[in-house]
Amino acid sequence: MTAFIQHLASEKRHSPRTCDSYQRDLQQLAIWLVEQGNPEWRNVSGYDLRRYVANLSRAGLSGRSIARHLSAIRRFYQYLLRERLATDNPALDIRAPKSSRRLPGVADVDQLNSLLDAVPDDPLEVRDRCMFELMYSSGLRLAELASLDIDAVDCHGGEARVVGKGGKTRLLPVGRKALEAIAQWLPIRAALAPEAEPALFVSRRGDRISHRSIQARLSRWGVVKGADQKLHPHMLRHSFASHMLESSGDLRAVQELLGHADIATTQVYTHLDFQHLARVYDQSHPRARRRKSRDYNEQNAGQEGTT
Protein backbone atom coordinates (compact mmCIF):
# COMPACT_ATOMS: atom_id res chain seq x y z
CA MET A 1 0.00 0.00 0.00
CA THR A 2 2.86 2.38 0.79
CA ALA A 3 4.28 1.97 -2.72
CA PHE A 4 0.85 2.77 -4.19
CA ILE A 5 0.57 6.00 -2.19
CA GLN A 6 4.06 6.98 -3.31
CA HIS A 7 3.01 6.22 -6.89
CA LEU A 8 0.02 8.59 -6.53
CA ALA A 9 2.21 11.34 -5.12
CA SER A 10 5.20 11.08 -7.47
CA GLU A 11 3.85 9.72 -10.76
CA LYS A 12 0.24 10.91 -10.69
CA ARG A 13 1.06 14.21 -8.93
CA HIS A 14 -1.90 13.94 -6.57
CA SER A 15 -2.06 16.40 -3.69
CA PRO A 16 -1.05 15.31 -0.16
CA ARG A 17 -4.70 15.63 0.87
CA THR A 18 -5.83 13.22 -1.87
CA CYS A 19 -3.06 10.77 -1.00
CA ASP A 20 -4.04 10.86 2.67
CA SER A 21 -7.66 10.17 1.72
CA TYR A 22 -6.66 7.13 -0.35
CA GLN A 23 -4.46 5.86 2.44
CA ARG A 24 -7.19 6.18 5.08
CA ASP A 25 -9.75 4.36 2.93
CA LEU A 26 -7.38 1.51 2.08
CA GLN A 27 -6.21 1.16 5.69
CA GLN A 28 -9.84 0.86 6.78
CA LEU A 29 -10.36 -1.94 4.26
CA ALA A 30 -7.11 -3.64 5.33
CA ILE A 31 -8.20 -3.66 8.99
CA TRP A 32 -11.58 -5.13 8.03
CA LEU A 33 -9.93 -7.86 5.91
CA VAL A 34 -7.67 -8.85 8.82
CA GLU A 35 -10.75 -9.09 11.06
CA GLN A 36 -12.33 -11.39 8.47
CA GLY A 37 -9.23 -13.59 8.35
CA ASN A 38 -8.34 -12.55 4.79
CA PRO A 39 -5.28 -10.28 4.98
CA GLU A 40 -3.92 -10.89 1.45
CA TRP A 41 -4.89 -8.37 -1.23
CA ARG A 42 -4.65 -10.95 -4.02
CA ASN A 43 -7.25 -13.16 -2.30
CA VAL A 44 -9.97 -10.49 -2.05
CA SER A 45 -13.08 -11.30 -4.13
CA GLY A 46 -16.06 -9.33 -5.33
CA TYR A 47 -18.13 -11.12 -2.68
CA ASP A 48 -15.74 -9.83 0.02
CA LEU A 49 -16.09 -6.27 -1.22
CA ARG A 50 -19.89 -6.50 -1.34
CA ARG A 51 -19.82 -7.55 2.31
CA TYR A 52 -17.47 -4.66 3.03
CA VAL A 53 -19.81 -2.18 1.32
CA ALA A 54 -22.71 -3.57 3.37
CA ASN A 55 -20.61 -3.10 6.52
CA LEU A 56 -19.88 0.53 5.62
CA SER A 57 -23.56 1.13 4.93
CA ARG A 58 -24.58 -0.34 8.31
CA ALA A 59 -22.00 1.93 9.94
CA GLY A 60 -23.92 4.92 8.57
CA LEU A 61 -21.72 5.99 5.65
CA SER A 62 -23.54 7.76 2.83
CA GLY A 63 -23.61 6.43 -0.71
CA ARG A 64 -21.22 9.18 -1.74
CA SER A 65 -18.68 8.23 0.94
CA ILE A 66 -18.90 4.55 0.02
CA ALA A 67 -18.41 5.46 -3.65
CA ARG A 68 -15.21 7.28 -2.63
CA HIS A 69 -13.98 4.14 -0.83
CA LEU A 70 -14.70 2.01 -3.90
CA SER A 71 -12.91 4.47 -6.15
CA ALA A 72 -9.79 4.19 -4.00
CA ILE A 73 -10.01 0.38 -4.04
CA ARG A 74 -10.39 0.27 -7.84
CA ARG A 75 -7.39 2.53 -8.33
CA PHE A 76 -5.36 0.43 -5.90
CA TYR A 77 -6.14 -2.79 -7.76
CA GLN A 78 -5.29 -1.17 -11.08
CA TYR A 79 -1.88 -0.49 -9.60
CA LEU A 80 -1.59 -4.07 -8.23
CA LEU A 81 -2.46 -5.47 -11.68
CA ARG A 82 0.20 -3.28 -13.29
CA GLU A 83 2.74 -4.54 -10.77
CA ARG A 84 1.57 -8.17 -11.24
CA LEU A 85 0.58 -8.36 -7.57
CA ALA A 86 -3.05 -9.28 -8.33
CA THR A 87 -4.82 -11.24 -11.07
CA ASP A 88 -8.05 -9.22 -11.28
CA ASN A 89 -9.81 -6.12 -10.00
CA PRO A 90 -12.61 -7.32 -7.67
CA ALA A 91 -14.02 -3.77 -7.27
CA LEU A 92 -14.84 -3.21 -10.94
CA ASP A 93 -18.50 -4.28 -10.77
CA ILE A 94 -19.24 -3.12 -7.21
CA ARG A 95 -21.52 -0.10 -6.91
CA ALA A 96 -22.28 2.04 -3.89
CA PRO A 97 -25.89 2.31 -2.67
CA LYS A 98 -27.64 5.48 -3.72
CA SER A 99 -27.96 8.16 -1.09
CA SER A 100 -31.21 9.96 -0.58
CA ARG A 101 -30.67 13.45 -1.92
CA ARG A 102 -30.89 16.07 0.78
CA LEU A 103 -32.76 19.17 -0.21
CA PRO A 104 -30.70 22.33 0.19
CA GLY A 105 -31.49 24.68 3.04
CA VAL A 106 -33.39 27.79 2.04
CA ALA A 107 -33.87 31.02 3.96
CA ASP A 108 -37.28 32.67 4.20
CA VAL A 109 -37.73 35.62 1.80
CA ASP A 110 -38.86 38.04 4.52
CA GLN A 111 -36.01 37.07 6.83
CA LEU A 112 -33.45 37.48 4.04
CA ASN A 113 -34.84 40.91 3.21
CA SER A 114 -34.63 41.89 6.87
CA LEU A 115 -31.04 40.64 7.19
CA LEU A 116 -29.87 42.34 4.01
CA ASP A 117 -31.61 45.60 4.95
CA ALA A 118 -29.79 45.70 8.28
CA VAL A 119 -27.59 48.78 8.68
CA PRO A 120 -23.81 48.06 8.68
CA ASP A 121 -22.02 49.10 11.86
CA ASP A 122 -18.52 49.56 10.38
CA PRO A 123 -16.70 49.65 7.01
CA LEU A 124 -16.11 45.90 6.91
CA GLU A 125 -19.82 45.30 7.43
CA VAL A 126 -20.46 47.51 4.39
CA ARG A 127 -18.30 45.05 2.46
CA ASP A 128 -20.06 42.09 4.03
CA ARG A 129 -23.52 43.28 3.13
CA CYS A 130 -22.32 43.97 -0.42
CA MET A 131 -20.96 40.42 -0.73
CA PHE A 132 -24.16 38.85 0.56
CA GLU A 133 -26.39 41.09 -1.55
CA LEU A 134 -24.45 40.11 -4.65
CA MET A 135 -24.45 36.42 -3.78
CA TYR A 136 -28.22 36.39 -3.26
CA SER A 137 -28.89 38.77 -6.17
CA SER A 138 -27.07 36.64 -8.75
CA GLY A 139 -26.92 33.15 -7.21
CA LEU A 140 -23.14 33.11 -7.00
CA ARG A 141 -21.09 30.22 -5.69
CA LEU A 142 -18.63 31.00 -2.90
CA ALA A 143 -15.64 30.57 -5.23
CA GLU A 144 -17.26 32.77 -7.88
CA LEU A 145 -17.80 35.58 -5.39
CA ALA A 146 -14.26 35.37 -4.02
CA SER A 147 -12.68 35.37 -7.49
CA LEU A 148 -14.75 38.28 -8.79
CA ASP A 149 -12.61 41.17 -10.08
CA ILE A 150 -13.65 44.80 -9.93
CA ASP A 151 -13.76 45.13 -13.72
CA ALA A 152 -16.10 42.14 -14.02
CA VAL A 153 -19.06 44.16 -12.69
CA ASP A 154 -20.80 46.66 -14.95
CA CYS A 155 -22.74 48.86 -12.56
CA HIS A 156 -24.28 50.91 -15.38
CA GLY A 157 -25.46 47.83 -17.28
CA GLY A 158 -26.45 45.96 -14.13
CA GLU A 159 -24.52 42.81 -14.94
CA ALA A 160 -21.55 40.76 -13.79
CA ARG A 161 -19.19 38.50 -15.72
CA VAL A 162 -18.59 35.39 -13.61
CA VAL A 163 -16.15 32.52 -14.14
CA GLY A 164 -17.73 29.32 -12.86
CA LYS A 165 -16.81 25.63 -12.73
CA GLY A 166 -14.62 24.40 -15.53
CA GLY A 167 -13.55 27.96 -16.32
CA LYS A 168 -16.90 28.64 -18.00
CA THR A 169 -17.90 32.30 -18.13
CA ARG A 170 -21.49 33.48 -17.81
CA LEU A 171 -23.08 36.92 -17.74
CA LEU A 172 -25.49 37.49 -14.86
CA PRO A 173 -27.94 40.26 -14.00
CA VAL A 174 -27.27 42.18 -10.80
CA GLY A 175 -30.22 43.47 -8.79
CA ARG A 176 -30.82 47.09 -7.79
CA LYS A 177 -30.08 46.49 -4.10
CA ALA A 178 -26.80 44.77 -4.93
CA LEU A 179 -25.78 47.65 -7.20
CA GLU A 180 -26.51 50.12 -4.41
CA ALA A 181 -24.41 48.02 -2.01
CA ILE A 182 -21.52 47.95 -4.50
CA ALA A 183 -21.67 51.74 -4.85
CA GLN A 184 -21.37 52.06 -1.05
CA TRP A 185 -18.49 49.56 -0.87
CA LEU A 186 -16.26 50.89 -3.68
CA PRO A 187 -15.05 54.06 -1.84
CA ILE A 188 -14.15 51.94 1.20
CA ARG A 189 -12.39 49.39 -1.00
CA ALA A 190 -10.33 52.17 -2.62
CA ALA A 191 -8.99 53.11 0.81
CA LEU A 192 -8.01 49.50 1.62
CA ALA A 193 -6.70 47.97 -1.61
CA PRO A 194 -3.54 48.91 -3.49
CA GLU A 195 -4.05 50.17 -7.02
CA ALA A 196 -2.76 46.92 -8.57
CA GLU A 197 -5.22 44.70 -6.66
CA PRO A 198 -7.92 43.45 -9.09
CA ALA A 199 -10.24 41.81 -6.54
CA LEU A 200 -13.64 43.36 -5.94
CA PHE A 201 -13.74 42.12 -2.35
CA VAL A 202 -10.64 42.55 -0.20
CA SER A 203 -9.71 41.95 3.41
CA ARG A 204 -8.70 44.66 5.88
CA ARG A 205 -5.11 44.07 4.65
CA GLY A 206 -6.12 44.99 1.09
CA ASP A 207 -5.67 41.57 -0.54
CA ARG A 208 -8.36 39.31 -2.04
CA ILE A 209 -10.68 37.97 0.64
CA SER A 210 -10.47 34.23 1.28
CA HIS A 211 -13.28 31.67 1.11
CA ARG A 212 -12.96 30.98 4.81
CA SER A 213 -13.29 34.67 5.67
CA ILE A 214 -16.48 34.99 3.60
CA GLN A 215 -17.97 32.00 5.38
CA ALA A 216 -17.02 33.35 8.79
CA ARG A 217 -18.32 36.85 8.05
CA LEU A 218 -21.67 35.54 6.78
CA SER A 219 -22.08 33.38 9.89
CA ARG A 220 -21.21 36.40 12.03
CA TRP A 221 -23.67 38.60 10.12
CA GLY A 222 -26.46 36.12 10.82
CA VAL A 223 -25.69 36.07 14.55
CA VAL A 224 -25.27 39.84 14.92
CA LYS A 225 -28.32 40.73 12.81
CA GLY A 226 -30.61 38.17 14.43
CA ALA A 227 -31.07 35.35 11.90
CA ASP A 228 -33.24 32.42 12.99
CA GLN A 229 -30.89 29.89 11.35
CA LYS A 230 -27.17 29.58 10.71
CA LEU A 231 -26.23 31.31 7.47
CA HIS A 232 -23.71 29.93 5.00
CA PRO A 233 -22.85 30.95 1.42
CA HIS A 234 -24.55 28.03 -0.29
CA MET A 235 -27.79 28.83 1.52
CA LEU A 236 -27.88 32.20 -0.24
CA ARG A 237 -27.36 30.51 -3.60
CA HIS A 238 -30.03 27.89 -2.83
CA SER A 239 -32.40 30.62 -1.68
CA PHE A 240 -31.82 32.56 -4.89
CA ALA A 241 -32.63 29.49 -6.98
CA SER A 242 -35.71 28.48 -5.01
CA HIS A 243 -37.17 32.00 -4.86
CA MET A 244 -36.54 32.51 -8.58
CA LEU A 245 -38.25 29.23 -9.41
CA GLU A 246 -41.22 29.96 -7.17
CA SER A 247 -41.72 33.32 -8.88
CA SER A 248 -41.02 32.39 -12.50
CA GLY A 249 -41.50 28.64 -12.84
CA ASP A 250 -38.80 28.75 -15.54
CA LEU A 251 -36.44 25.87 -14.75
CA ARG A 252 -34.27 26.45 -17.84
CA ALA A 253 -33.67 30.09 -16.92
CA VAL A 254 -32.70 29.13 -13.36
CA GLN A 255 -30.34 26.48 -14.79
CA GLU A 256 -28.60 29.12 -16.91
CA LEU A 257 -28.36 31.59 -14.02
CA LEU A 258 -26.85 28.98 -11.71
CA GLY A 259 -24.41 27.75 -14.37
CA HIS A 260 -25.53 24.11 -14.13
CA ALA A 261 -24.35 21.99 -17.07
CA ASP A 262 -27.13 19.44 -16.47
CA ILE A 263 -30.72 20.47 -15.80
CA ALA A 264 -31.06 17.43 -13.51
CA THR A 265 -28.88 19.33 -11.02
CA THR A 266 -31.33 22.24 -11.10
CA GLN A 267 -34.37 20.00 -10.73
CA VAL A 268 -33.71 19.57 -7.01
CA TYR A 269 -35.27 23.02 -6.63
CA THR A 270 -38.55 21.77 -8.08
CA HIS A 271 -38.87 19.67 -4.93
CA LEU A 272 -38.45 22.77 -2.83
CA ASP A 273 -41.09 24.47 -4.94
CA PHE A 274 -43.48 21.55 -4.42
CA GLN A 275 -42.97 21.77 -0.67
CA HIS A 276 -43.98 25.42 -0.85
CA LEU A 277 -47.07 24.54 -2.91
CA ALA A 278 -48.00 21.72 -0.53
CA ARG A 279 -47.85 24.08 2.46
CA VAL A 280 -50.02 26.64 0.69
CA TYR A 281 -52.47 23.89 -0.30
CA ASP A 282 -52.75 22.51 3.22
CA GLN A 283 -53.24 25.99 4.68
CA SER A 284 -55.64 27.32 2.05
CA HIS A 285 -57.59 24.67 0.19
CA PRO A 286 -61.06 24.03 1.65
CA ARG A 287 -60.89 20.33 0.90
CA ALA A 288 -57.54 20.07 2.67
CA ARG A 289 -58.97 21.75 5.78
CA ARG A 290 -61.99 19.47 5.70
CA ARG A 291 -59.77 16.46 5.32
CA LYS A 292 -57.78 17.42 8.39
CA SER A 293 -60.94 18.04 10.35
CA ARG A 294 -62.41 14.71 9.19
CA ASP A 295 -59.17 12.87 10.10
CA TYR A 296 -59.29 14.48 13.56
CA ASN A 297 -62.94 13.48 14.06
CA GLU A 298 -62.31 9.93 12.86
CA GLN A 299 -59.31 9.62 15.18
CA ASN A 300 -61.33 10.82 18.17
CA ALA A 301 -64.19 8.51 17.23
CA GLY A 302 -61.78 5.61 17.08
CA GLN A 303 -60.40 6.46 20.51
CA GLU A 304 -63.93 6.68 21.93
CA GLY A 305 -64.73 3.26 20.50
CA THR A 306 -61.78 1.65 22.31
CA THR A 307 -62.54 3.13 25.74
Side-chain angles (χ1 to χ4, degrees), residues 126 129-131 133-134 148 150 153-155 159-160 174-189 200-201:
V126 174
R129 186 175 69 169
C130 182
M131 290 193 301
E133 280 279 12
L134 191 54
L148 205 60
I150 192 168
V153 180
D154 178 1
C155 292
E159 59 190 30
V174 179
R176 177 179 56 84
K177 289 282 191 179
L179 292 172
E180 292 174 358
I182 292 172
Q184 292 171 5
W185 158 242
L186 287 179
I188 298 172
R189 178 200 173 279
L200 175 60
F201 296 110

Side-chain angles (χ1 to χ4, degrees), residues 100-116:
S100 57
R101 191 167 190 180
R102 291 192 305 171
L103 295 179
V106 174
D108 177 74
V109 175
D110 292 334
Q111 181 179 134
L112 263 183
N113 285 333
S114 176
L115 288 171
L116 294 175

